[in-house]
Amino acid sequence: MNKLAITVLLAAAGVCAYAAKIDSSVATVNGRPVLASEYDNYLEGVVEQYQAAAPEFLQQPYAKDMLGREVLKELISKELLYQAAEEEKVQVKDSETDAGVNEIKMRFIIDEVTGKEDPKGADKRFNEALKKQGMTLKRFKEKIKKDVAVRKLMETKLKETVTPVEEADAKALYANVEAVMKNNTKKIKALEKEDPMKLKEAQLIAAKLHQLTAEQVRIGHIFLAAPKDMKPEDAKKKEELANQIKKEIDGGLDFSAAVKKYTEDTNALASGGDMILIKGVAPKEIDAQAFTLSVGKVSKPIKSELGYHIIKIKEKRAEKSISYDDISRDLAQYLAQQRVQLAMAQYIEQLYNKADVKITKTFESDKLLEEQAAAKADAEKTEPDAADKTKK
């Protein structure tokens, strides 16, 4: 491995760092503040990502606290690495800084309003983004320079510590994954005894490969909600509506038009109700129809625990076999990435253990955690007393 392909966690991934003015801090690292404005901006971006991709997570108690703790941990790690780069006297050329800034600017070529490329407007959109984050171009360049310094530092450190991936490593991983995919009970039990983490790793990769290689079908889907707790009379109306929809489709109503008109799965409207089903994953009632009907056919209403479904078979794909040669490069890249991440985590931990880190940020869940810790301590105190009484 001549050159490690490194994606540093805190490389210049966007325009979202420091506020323009000095403000309060959420932590200090060797006396240097981690600004509250930086924390707030970063957390806001993370919350927006979860709102788009996993809104259900944000419904959990103290979900924002959980994200906030991770954001704070990452910002402290960033500052530790910045300071380490300074201590190592890592040099960054102006041309390297400019290249980093230009790389970010390239992400503003697409006009979000039109969805089309607009190179001439990239600078304007970039500057507007800086202004929105309360950051000057000079301040942003300083940040990019620090990020480049960290990247160069980590390239050096990781070359010193990360062992190159050999073909034997990739083949050993493939053997574990293959055992899981073929449900080789003997080898799975032996692997679990030898190294449970390796078994978990193989199971995760096998699950991903199963998604990519299993028999699949693309369907159109109309859904009418009728959960178990629905009143019988209301559930009956849903059943009647489902039968009516099927008659309309049989009578010539376009399936896509029926989706728009009737489906209660609003999230699927953007795709016209289309979805991919992997054999064995969907509810068995749907699975039975999806993988037996011919392409172009429309099912009768299917009752599941959630409600009624009408599906149209649009495309089928047979199960694929996969060999070591098919995924050898992917496995090697995966192992290299895992080694890089582990080495980075260990290096940051070393920096943290030597640093003077003070966290001043408080979270709503702090009191709950304190109460749980106190309750656990009380329980540990009473257990020996109970044991003594039993002996007596």
Side-chain angles (χ1 to χ4, degrees):
M1 183 158 48
N2 295 327
K3 184 176 181 181
L4 288 169
I6 302 169
T7 305
V8 180
L9 180 66
L10 37 97
V15 183
C16 63
Y18 299 115
K21 59 182 181 180
I22 296 176
D23 57 14
S24 59
S25 65
V26 289
T28 58
V29 181
N30 295 322
R32 290 190 189 177
V34 175
L35 299 181
S37 59
E38 181 179 11
Y39 169 85
D40 291 339
N41 285 334
Y42 203 139
L43 179 58
E44 182 181 351
V46 171
V47 170
E48 286 178 359
Q49 290 175 1
Y50 271 85
Q51 286 172 337
E56 64 281 357
F57 174 83
L58 297 176
Q59 303 304 315
Q60 298 181 53
Y62 302 111
K64 195 169 181 180
D65 273 15
M66 286 188 272
L67 295 179
R69 292 179 195 280
E70 289 303 310
V71 165
L72 182 57
K73 181 180 177 181
E74 188 169 330
L75 290 176
I76 290 172
S77 296
K78 284 176 66 174
E79 184 57 39
L80 286 167
L81 289 167
Y82 287 154
Q83 293 183 25
E86 284 183 0
E87 189 174 333
E88 296 278 345
K89 293 182 171 52
V90 177
Q91 298 297 312
V92 178
K93 298 175 182 177
D94 290 342
S95 59
E96 292 174 311
T97 300
D98 292 340
V101 173
N102 289 332
E103 182 183 343
I104 301 300
K105 282 186 178 181
M106 289 294 291
R107 300 175 191 180
F108 290 86
I109 283 181
I110 301 297
D111 186 336
E112 292 184 359
V113 177
T114 64
K116 298 179 180 179
E117 285 193 7
D118 175 28
K120 291 182 179 179
D123 278 346
K124 181 181 178 182
R125 288 187 289 274
F126 170 73
N127 290 326
E128 286 174 351
L130 286 180
K131 186 176 180 181
K132 185 179 179 181
Q133 296 298 331
M135 187 187 297
T136 64
L137 179 58
K138 181 181 178 182
R139 191 69 175 271
F140 183 66
K141 283 187 175 182
E142 290 172 358
K143 176 188 179 300
I144 293 297
K145 185 175 182 178
K146 291 166 74 176
D147 287 340
V148 173
V150 167
R151 176 179 57 77
K152 295 177 76 171
L153 170 72
M154 292 309 301
E155 284 178 347
T156 301
K157 295 296 180 183
L158 295 175
K159 281 179 182 177
E160 295 172 354
T161 58
V162 175
T163 306
V165 175
E166 304 290 345
E167 185 173 15
D169 301 323
K171 283 187 173 180
L173 176 57
Y174 177 77
N176 294 339
V177 173
E178 186 179 39
V180 172
M181 293 189 74
K182 292 184 176 181
N183 197 26
N184 185 330
T185 307
K186 183 178 180 181
K187 184 158 186 178
I188 289 172
K189 287 183 177 180
L191 184 58
E192 184 176 22
K193 185 177 181 180
E194 175 193 341
D195 191 335
M197 291 303 296
K198 282 189 177 181
L199 174 60
K200 185 177 180 180
E201 177 184 58
Q203 288 170 333
L204 291 172
I205 295 174
K208 182 64 176 177
L209 289 176
H210 176 69
Q211 290 181 348
L212 297 173
T213 61
E215 183 180 354
Q216 295 182 6
V217 59
R218 181 168 66 89
I219 66 168
H221 181 224
I222 298 171
F223 172 65
L224 302 176
K228 287 183 177 180
D229 58 355
M230 178 175 275
K231 294 180 180 179
E233 58 268 29
D234 293 333
K236 183 65 176 176
K237 289 179 181 178
K238 288 294 179 78
E239 181 182 9
E240 292 172 352
L241 177 57
N243 289 323
Q244 175 195 323
I245 294 169
K246 178 61 166 68
K247 286 182 180 179
E248 290 183 22
I249 294 171
D250 290 343
L253 177 63
D254 180 71
F255 192 88
S256 297
V259 170
K260 292 179 182 178
K261 184 176 180 181
Y262 291 113
T263 192
E264 295 176 7
D265 181 6
T266 55
N267 292 329
L269 284 174
S271 64
D274 279 18
M275 61 176 61
I276 301 292
L277 296 183
I278 298 171
K279 192 169 186 179
V281 175
K284 61 182 181 180
E285 302 89 350
I286 298 176
D287 221 42
Q289 293 291 316
F291 290 92
T292 54
L293 288 173
S294 302
V295 173
K297 296 295 184 180
V298 177
S299 73
K300 62 183 180 181
I302 304 166
K303 180 70 172 73
S304 75
E305 292 184 350
L306 301 175
Y308 290 92
H309 312 259
I310 301 173
I311 64 174
K312 179 177 181 178
I313 311 304
K314 295 192 173 184
E315 185 181 355
K316 288 191 172 185
R317 195 194 77 182
E319 183 179 5
K320 293 181 179 180
S321 60
I322 195 161
S323 67
Y324 170 74
D325 289 337
D326 294 327
I327 59 172
S328 59
R329 181 176 296 181
D330 295 317
L331 292 177
Q333 289 177 346
Y334 166 80
L335 288 171
Q337 184 182 42
Q338 292 298 105
R339 293 179 185 186
V340 165
Q341 290 177 351
L342 177 60
M344 281 188 65
Q346 291 174 338
Y347 180 64
I348 291 172
E349 185 178 7
Q350 291 171 10
L351 295 176
Y352 195 101
N353 291 337
K354 294 188 295 183
D356 177 19
V357 178
K358 293 184 174 66
I359 296 175
T360 54
K361 170 69 182 174
T362 57
F363 298 91
E364 289 183 13
S365 56
D366 284 344
K367 186 176 180 181
L368 176 64
L369 293 174
E370 290 173 3
E371 290 173 351
Q372 290 175 341
K376 183 179 179 181
D378 290 342
E380 290 173 350
K381 288 179 182 178
T382 55
E383 282 177 4
D385 294 340
D388 289 342
K389 289 179 181 178
T390 303
K391 289 178 181 179
K392 292 177 182 178

